[in-house]
Amino acid sequence: MRHLYLTLAFNICLFSFAYAQLPSDLDSLLVGYEQAPNDSVKFLYADELFWQYVYKDLEKSKPFIEASLSLADRLQDSTKQVTGLNNYAIYYRISGQYRKGDSVLRKAIQISERLKDTIRLSRSYGNLSNILTGKGDFEGSIEADLQAMRFYEALGDSAGIGICLNNVGRTHFALKQYQESLEYYQQALVISQQIQDTLGLAQNLGNIGTAEKQLGNLDKALEAYLSAKELFEQLGYKRNVSFTLNNIALLYREKKAYKKAENYLLQCLALLQERNSPLDMANIYDNLAKTALLQGKYTQGLAYANKAWNRVQEVNARPVLRKVYQSLSKAHAGKKDFRTAYEFQQKFIALNDSLINEGNTQKIQEMEARYEAEAREKEILVLNKDKEVQAQTIEAQKAVLRARNAVILGALFALGLAIFASLFYRQKQLLAQKEKDLAAQRNRELKSQQQIIRMDALIQGEESERRRIAQDLHDGIGSMLASAKLQVSTLTEKVPNTQEIRETQSLLGSTYEEVRRIAHNMMPKILLELGLIPAVKHLGENLERTGYIDVHINALSDWPTLPDHEELILYRIIQEVLNNIQKHAHATEAWVQFSHFEGESSILIEDNGVGFDPNSDKEGIGLESMHNRVAYLNGELEIDSQPNKGTAVTIRIPDKTNKKLGELYETHHTS
C-alpha cells in the first residue's frame, strides 16, 4: 500500500476521499476500473493498477499508463498528465528504453515547473536520476538527485529524502566509490526503519549487501542479502527477488563456490523469463558466462556471453554492454581466438573510458560541495534567528548604523545630482538605439515573411508537379500498360500459350501495379480523406509488404487536426525518413510515435539500423530538404544518429505556430 499513499499525495483534494476508498486486491481494482462512474475516478484506478503490475508483470502495466494519459488529456488536467508521464518513465526505465524515458520526463518537469508543483518536481527529478544512471550519465544523475532532495527537504518528506540518498549511493557505487555509497545506503536505511517502509527497507538492505561485498565484508553482505530477499518475497516483487538472487550468486562466486553461484543464477533466470526483460536477462547471462569462465569452461562461457550479447542489443544499455564486451573477450581468449578477443577488449576499454573518467568524478564532488554549502547557509540563518532574542544590543547597533547611513546617503545624494545630467543624456542615446533596433527587427520580420511565402510557393509547386506526374502515370502509362496486357491476353487465343508469353503477361501486370503504387504514393488520397496518422499507417503497411522491415505506429495522446497543407508537409517528411530507413539503414524495425503535450505536436521516428553521421550525409539522404520543410512550419527537427547505433528523428511543431502559418497560407492564396 506504500505506492497507494504516495499516489494519494499527487491528486487534488477533491478526490482524496474517493481514492482512499480504493480496494487493494487486484480483482476488485479491475472491476472498479471498468465500472468507474467518471473519468476522474477511472484515472485513479488506472494509476493504482499500473503500480500493481509494474514490478510483477511489466507489459500488463502499459495499457493503464496509456489509459491514464488519455484520461488526463480528456480532463485537461496537467497534474494528472505529469503522473502519467512519470509512470511511463518508470516503464521505460525497467524495460531499458532510457532515451524514451528521458524524453517523457523532460516534458513532466516542464509542466511541473509551469505549475510550480514542488511535489511533482521532486518525483520527476528522482525518476530522471534513475534514467540517467541507466544511460551512464552519472554527473546528470547526481545533479537530478540533489535537485529532488532540495524539493523533498522543503516538503519535509522523509521518504523522498531516503529515496534520494539511496539513489546517490547507487551512483557512487557505479563509480566504484564503495565506502561513500555504503554511508548513503545506511542513512537511507535509518529513514526506512523510522517510517516503517518495507519496500524501502528491502531495497536499502540489498544495496548495503552489495556495498559490503565490494568492501570485502562477505558475511555482512550475505546477511543483508538474505534479509532483503525475504522482504521482497513477502511483497511479491519477483523482479527484486531476481536481483537479490543474482547478488547472492555473485557473493558465492567471490567465495569460489561456483556450483552454488550457478544454481542461484539459474533460479534468477527462471524468474526473469516469465517477464522477458532483455536488460535483466542480459545481466544474468553475462554473470553465468563469467562463472563458467572462472572454472575454465570456455565453450559454455562463450555460449552464455553470446546470449547476453543478443539480449543487450535489444535495449542498447551501455553499462551492461561494457560487461558483455569483457566476457566475450575472455571467452574467445580461452578458446585461443586471440584476434577476436583483442577486438572485444578494445571495445571494452573504449566504452569503459567514456563511462568513468576523472572529469565526471570531479564534477560530482563539486555538486556535492555546493549542496553542503547550501546546508551550511541554512544553519547560519537559524543561528541568526536565535540571536534576535538579544533585542537591546541589536537596537543599539541599529542606532549607530542609522547615523552612519544618514551621512552616506547625504554623500550619495550629492553624487546623484552630479551624474543626473549624464544619465539623462545616456537615456536619450538608448532610446535612439532602441528605435533603430525596432526598425531592424521589423525588417527581419518582413524578410522572414517573404522567405515563408517563397518556401510556400516552392512547396506548392512541388506538390502540383507531383499531382501532374501522378496523373500522367495513372492515366497515361497506366492505361497503356493495361492495354498492352489486354493485347497480350488476346494473342494467347491465336498462338500457343508459351512460357515467354506467360512471363510477359506477369511482367506487364507487375509493372502496371508498380506504376499505380508510385502514383498513389505521390498523391495519397487517404491523407486527404482520413488524415495524417491513417495515411502514415497505410505507408507503413506498404513498406512491410516488402518483407524487410516492420513499421510500428503509435499515438501517445490525442493528435490535433492540422491544416491540410501542414499534414501534407509532415507526411512528405515522414515518407522521406521511412524511405531512407528502407534504402540505407538495413533496419528490421522502425517506430513512428505521435504525441501532443502542452501546446506542442511531436513526431518521433526511430529505427534499429546501422545509423549514419548527419554532418557528412546531408546531401545523400535529403536532410537539408527536411530541415527546410520543418523550418517552414516554424518547427524544430532533431536528428540523433551514430554509426551502428540506429537513428532517431524528432519533429516538434508548436500549436500557436500552426495557427499563424495557417492564416498566412490562406492570405497568400486568396490575394
Side-chain angles (χ1 to χ4, degrees):
M1 293 299 289
R2 174 175 174 267
H3 54 271
L4 182 63
Y5 171 76
L6 290 174
T7 309
L8 174 60
F10 295 143
N11 291 281
I12 56 177
C13 295
L14 178 61
F15 303 112
S16 61
F17 175 79
Y19 191 60
Q21 301 302 313
L22 289 183
S24 59
D25 62 290
L26 184 59
D27 291 338
S28 299
L29 285 169
L30 290 169
V31 172
Y33 174 76
E34 295 297 333
Q35 299 178 358
N38 54 57
D39 286 348
S40 296
V41 175
K42 196 177 187 73
F43 174 87
L44 300 176
Y45 274 103
D47 183 57
E48 177 62 18
L49 283 164
F50 161 76
W51 284 105
Q52 288 281 343
Y53 279 119
V54 65
Y55 290 116
K56 300 174 183 177
D57 192 333
L58 181 63
E59 288 309 310
K60 286 186 179 180
S61 71
K62 187 176 181 182
F64 296 107
I65 313 174
E66 295 170 343
S68 64
L69 276 173
S70 178
L71 290 164
D73 287 342
R74 196 152 61 222
L75 291 166
Q76 296 183 340
D77 190 326
S78 297
T79 59
K80 288 181 171 58
Q81 272 190 346
V82 174
T83 299
L85 290 170
N86 269 277
N87 290 347
Y88 235 131
I90 293 170
Y91 169 85
Y92 284 139
R93 174 179 61 80
I94 295 173
S95 60
Q97 301 178 69
Y98 300 118
R99 181 162 56 187
K100 290 182 179 179
D102 192 335
S103 176
V104 298
L105 280 174
R106 302 292 179 183
K107 291 184 181 294
I109 290 171
Q110 182 181 10
I111 297 171
S112 300
E113 286 177 342
R114 178 177 59 78
L115 297 174
K116 298 181 179 179
D117 190 329
T118 306
I119 294 176
R120 287 171 178 79
L121 278 170
S122 61
R123 184 187 183 198
S124 298
Y125 274 112
N127 286 331
L128 180 61
S129 169
N130 292 329
I131 290 289
L132 294 177
T133 298
K135 291 174 68 177
D137 182 1
F138 301 122
E139 173 190 346
S141 175
I142 288 284
E143 182 67 47
D145 266 320
L146 295 179
Q147 185 66 39
M149 197 180 301
R150 294 185 186 100
F151 289 123
Y152 282 127
E153 286 179 343
L155 293 166
D157 186 342
S158 298
I161 294 171
I163 292 170
C164 290
L165 289 169
N166 181 67
N167 290 343
V168 174
R170 285 195 293 113
T171 306
H172 277 291
F173 186 90
L175 291 168
K176 299 185 179 180
Q177 299 169 351
Y178 303 123
Q179 185 59 44
E180 291 85 348
S181 70
L182 179 60
E183 291 171 1
Y184 278 108
Y185 292 151
Q186 289 171 338
Q187 292 178 51
L189 180 68
V190 171
I191 292 177
S192 297
Q193 291 170 334
Q194 290 173 346
I195 63 176
Q196 298 180 348
D197 176 7
T198 305
L199 176 59
L201 190 62
Q203 290 172 334
N204 288 319
L205 282 168
N207 290 335
I208 286 172
T210 305
E212 293 282 17
K213 174 179 172 292
Q214 292 297 330
L215 291 170
N217 305 323
L218 301 186
D219 292 336
K220 289 183 179 179
L222 181 59
E223 181 183 356
Y225 285 151
L226 292 173
S227 298
K229 174 176 171 292
E230 183 179 352
L231 291 173
F232 283 132
E233 287 174 340
Q234 291 175 10
L235 293 169
Y237 281 15
K238 292 184 179 180
R239 183 170 186 262
N240 299 85
V241 173
S242 68
F243 288 163
T244 310
L245 288 170
N246 174 65
N247 289 335
I248 295 172
L250 296 181
L251 189 145
Y252 277 117
R253 192 173 73 189
E254 188 82 10
K255 292 184 172 185
K256 303 188 186 306
Y258 299 120
K259 189 63 178 177
K260 285 187 177 181
E262 185 177 0
N263 287 337
Y264 274 106
L265 287 172
L266 291 174
Q267 290 179 46
C268 178
L269 190 62
L271 280 177
L272 292 175
Q273 284 174 338
E274 297 177 10
R275 299 178 53 254
N276 191 28
S277 170
L279 179 63
D280 297 337
M281 293 181 72
N283 261 313
I284 301 307
Y285 278 126
D286 181 71
N287 287 335
L288 282 166
K290 286 182 169 61
T291 303
L293 293 173
L294 287 170
Q295 301 174 75
K297 300 177 181 179
Y298 299 112
T299 300
Q300 185 183 34
L302 181 58
Y304 280 132
N306 282 328
K307 288 183 179 181
W309 166 263
N310 291 333
R311 299 318 299 261
V312 80
Q313 293 303 304
E314 299 177 30
V315 293
N316 193 25
R318 295 169 68 235
V320 180
L321 183 60
R322 173 181 57 183
K323 294 170 54 183
V324 176
Y325 280 150
Q326 189 179 44
S327 297
L328 286 167
S329 175
K330 292 181 178 179
H332 282 289
K335 293 179 70 64
K336 310 303 182 184
D337 184 0
F338 298 111
R339 176 174 294 182
T340 305
Y342 176 76
E343 291 174 357
F344 279 114
Q345 181 66 14
Q346 292 301 107
K347 290 180 179 180
F348 165 77
I349 292 171
L351 186 54
N352 191 61
D353 288 345
S354 69
L355 291 176
I356 302 177
N357 55 63
E358 294 180 0
N360 275 346
T361 303
Q362 181 179 358
K363 289 178 180 178
I364 290 170
Q365 291 172 346
E366 291 173 355
M367 286 184 287
E368 289 186 328
R370 289 202 303 270
Y371 179 78
E372 291 174 0
E374 290 178 7
R376 285 196 297 270
E377 289 176 2
K378 291 179 182 178
E379 292 177 2
I380 292 172
L381 289 175
V382 172
L383 290 174
N384 287 338
K385 288 182 179 179
D386 292 338
K387 290 180 181 179
E388 290 177 359
V389 298
Q390 303 172 358
Q392 292 182 353
T393 304
I394 293 174
E395 286 299 325
Q397 291 175 346
K398 285 183 178 179
V400 174
L401 289 173
R402 282 196 294 269
R404 185 167 57 188
N405 288 341
V407 175
I408 294 173
L409 287 173
L412 289 175
F413 180 73
L415 181 61
L417 289 176
I419 64 174
F420 176 77
S422 175
L423 289 175
F424 180 75
Y425 175 73
R426 177 61 178 165
Q427 185 66 22
K428 289 181 65 177
Q429 287 183 319
L430 290 174
L431 289 173
Q433 182 62 40
K434 186 174 181 180
E435 291 179 358
K436 186 184 295 184
D437 292 342
L438 288 173
Q441 182 179 351
R442 285 194 293 269
N443 187 39
R444 287 194 299 271
E445 291 176 352
L446 179 60
K447 288 182 179 179
S448 177
Q449 185 175 358
Q450 290 172 346
Q451 183 179 3
I452 291 174
I453 292 173
R454 285 197 299 270
M455 187 64 184
D456 176 61
L458 175 62
I459 292 173
Q460 292 302 314
E462 288 180 358
E463 296 302 328
S464 176
E465 185 66 12
R466 285 177 183 268
R467 284 193 292 270
R468 184 190 66 77
I469 294 173
Q471 191 69 31
D472 289 347
L473 285 172
H474 188 275
D475 297 342
I477 297 175
S479 298
M480 292 170 67
L481 287 171
S483 298
K485 183 179 179 182
L486 181 61
Q487 288 182 9
V488 172
S489 298
T490 305
L491 281 175
T492 60
E493 301 175 359
K494 300 177 181 180
V495 298
N497 189 5
T498 65
Q499 178 66 23
E500 289 81 2
I501 289 178
R502 287 195 298 273
E503 290 177 354
T504 302
Q505 284 180 308
S506 176
L507 179 60
L508 284 171
S510 299
T511 306
Y512 175 67
E513 292 300 324
E514 181 66 14
V515 168
R516 286 189 63 203
R517 186 188 66 79
I518 293 172
H520 289 162
N521 279 346
M522 294 188 73
M523 188 49 60
K525 290 184 179 180
I526 191 173
L527 178 66
L528 300 176
E529 293 174 355
L530 300 179
L532 179 60
I533 295 179
V536 173
K537 287 182 178 178
H538 181 69
L539 178 62
E541 291 168 359
N542 287 339
L543 288 176
E544 287 183 339
R545 291 192 186 100
T546 64
Y548 297 108
I549 186 170
D550 293 329
V551 183
H552 310 281
I553 313 297
N554 185 28
L556 285 182
S557 56
D558 294 336
W559 181 259
T561 301
L562 304 178
D564 290 345
H565 73 285
E566 292 185 30
E567 290 202 338
L568 182 57
I569 291 171
L570 292 173
Y571 177 83
R572 293 300 182 204
I573 296 171
I574 297 170
Q575 185 181 40
E576 176 74 15
V577 175
L578 291 177
N579 285 338
N580 287 335
I581 293 172
Q582 183 187 32
K583 293 177 182 177
H584 306 291
H586 303 292
T588 58
E589 289 188 284
W591 298 266
V592 183
Q593 179 175 287
F594 295 85
S595 61
H596 181 264
F597 295 106
E598 291 295 303
E600 181 180 84
S601 301
S602 300
I603 302 172
L604 174 63
I605 310 168
E606 293 184 291
D607 67 70
N608 64 348
V610 298
F612 68 99
D613 182 354
N615 296 321
S616 63
D617 288 352
K618 271 188 178 179
E619 298 297 329
I621 60 173
L623 295 183
E624 185 174 359
S625 173
M626 286 190 284
H627 276 288
N628 289 339
R629 288 174 179 267
V630 175
Y632 168 71
L633 298 176
N634 275 10
E636 297 179 356
L637 176 69
E638 294 181 3
I639 299 176
D640 181 8
S641 181
Q642 296 180 28
N644 302 317
K645 293 188 177 180
T647 301
V649 178
T650 304
I651 304 165
R652 296 188 182 90
I653 308 295
D655 288 353
K656 61 181 180 180
T657 303
N658 291 336
K659 182 178 179 182
K660 180 179 179 182
L661 286 171
E663 294 172 351
L664 176 61
Y665 179 85
E666 294 297 329
T667 304
H668 177 61
H669 284 277
T670 56
S671 59

